[in-house]
Amino acid sequence: MPFSQLGLNPKINKALEKNAYKNPTLIQEKVIPLVLQNNDIMAKAQTGSGKTASFVLPILQLFLDKEEKKEYKSKAKISTLVLTPTRELALQVSKAFIDFSEYFVNKPKIVSIIGGESLTQQLLDIQKGCDIVVATTGRLLDILDKKQMNLSNLEFFVLDEADKMLDLGFEEELDKILQIIPNNRQNLLFSATFEKKVENIASKITQKAIFLSIEEKSIVQNITQRA
Ligand code: AMP
């Protein structure tokens, strides 16, 4: 099935083409339509399955739908928060948002909130107005503790690689963040495993998610094998 059958905006399809994404992976084929229909999702999927685009693309599509209806551009408000276990993954996710929104007239403002980089710059970027925050938990809490970020307009909450986040001991930080963000939001959770501790955090995030288990081989492995 080609991407064109998923009903994404031509501006997104153009970026997919530029990035040599021809056909969706299994997780993309399943998750994208469900996110577009505003469902909460819990997906058991490995790194390399294409999980990043499975949440980035529909979030961008819903952003675009809203932007096209607006008559004037107000200052951006944070509508999406993605939490990742590592800085590297946060940067990768931010890059996917940037790459796939390349052809938007009003591009979403994306800020990576990660440790090891200038806090002052990140605070400035937030104050200027941003739509999408991709963060690791520690730095995000530093900023939230300083009351420097308003998450009251949040619409999407994405927890990427939840199992890894819990293995790294971020449960308490996650709990704190969950107490701060508004309850009325769409939740997307991705994890390579769904053992007890993941189920535990998942139940705190949402009670109404559609659960998907994608056992497809990693697209990265496939590419390596062919090479
Ligand atoms: P992820 O599991 O999201 O980390 O993706 C693994 C790798 O596969 C990344 O390098 C992606 O850019 C690439 N990828 C994901 N989906 C597709 C697709 N549908 N077509 C081609 N490459 C893809």
Side-chain angles (χ1 to χ4, degrees):
M1 183 217 255
F3 267 109
S4 54
Q5 284 184 23
L6 286 179
L8 293 166
N9 189 289
K11 295 185 179 92
I12 297 179
N13 285 335
K14 193 170 166 191
L16 285 165
E17 229 171 85
K18 182 176 175 192
N19 287 278
Y21 278 44
K22 288 197 180 72
N23 298 306
T25 63
L26 193 56
I27 188 164
Q28 291 160 4
E29 201 177 304
K30 297 225 177 305
V31 170
I32 293 171
L34 290 171
V35 179
L36 291 175
Q37 290 158 15
N38 308 113
N39 292 293
D40 280 9
I41 302 287
M42 305 250 162
K44 180 167 180 265
Q46 306 288 334
T47 307
S49 58
K51 64 181 171 53
T52 312
S54 79
F55 62 84
V56 166
L57 298 175
I59 288 175
L60 286 176
Q61 167 87 35
L62 293 169
F63 170 85
L64 198 54
D65 289 349
K66 271 198 161 175
E67 281 301 302
E68 289 187 343
K69 279 186 206 139
K70 276 186 196 164
E71 282 172 12
Y72 65 95
K73 178 111 183 93
S74 53
K75 191 177 166 190
K77 292 177 179 149
I78 300 168
S79 63
T80 300
L81 173 64
V82 182
L83 293 183
T84 71
T86 63
R87 292 183 230 169
E88 293 72 22
L89 185 59
L91 292 173
Q92 229 170 288
V93 171
S94 294
K95 184 174 182 308
F97 276 113
I98 294 166
D99 288 347
F100 293 123
S101 59
E102 182 179 348
Y103 298 105
F104 290 16
V105 179
N106 290 321
K107 295 185 183 42
K109 297 199 174 57
I110 298 141
V111 179
S112 304
I113 299 295
I114 53 176
E117 291 194 10
S118 162
L119 175 63
T120 318
Q121 185 57 51
Q122 289 171 10
L123 288 172
L124 272 173
D125 290 342
I126 294 163
Q127 278 156 16
K128 275 190 249 160
C130 73
D131 300 281
I132 297 171
V133 168
V134 186
T136 51
T137 52
R139 177 59 65 89
L140 180 69
L141 279 171
D142 284 349
I143 293 179
L144 289 172
D145 285 346
K146 290 185 175 45
K147 307 248 180 292
Q148 296 287 335
M149 187 191 283
N150 179 359
L151 289 174
S152 64
N153 296 291
L154 202 69
E155 292 169 35
F156 298 99
F157 175 65
V158 183
L159 190 57
D160 198 6
E161 301 197 355
D163 53 335
K164 197 163 172 189
M165 208 173 274
L166 296 171
D167 286 346
L168 291 170
F170 295 141
E171 188 169 355
E172 215 173 291
E173 297 187 347
L174 260 174
D175 277 341
K176 280 191 197 158
I177 294 166
L178 288 174
Q179 278 164 23
I180 295 170
I181 60 178
N183 289 327
N184 192 10
R185 53 175 204 252
Q186 190 175 352
N187 300 285
L188 311 172
L189 182 147
F190 297 82
S191 190
T193 64
F194 265 83
E195 58 206 274
K196 193 85 201 112
K197 57 185 174 183
V198 178
E199 274 180 11
N200 186 27
I201 199 84
S203 69
K204 291 183 197 169
I205 293 173
T206 172
Q207 304 285 334
K208 53 171 191 184
I210 296 176
F211 182 81
L212 298 160
S213 181
I214 312 287
E215 301 296 348
E216 191 181 38
K217 254 204 218 150
S218 157
I219 186 168
V220 177
Q221 276 171 21
N222 289 343
I223 290 166
T224 314
Q225 278 164 8
R226 259 187 263 141

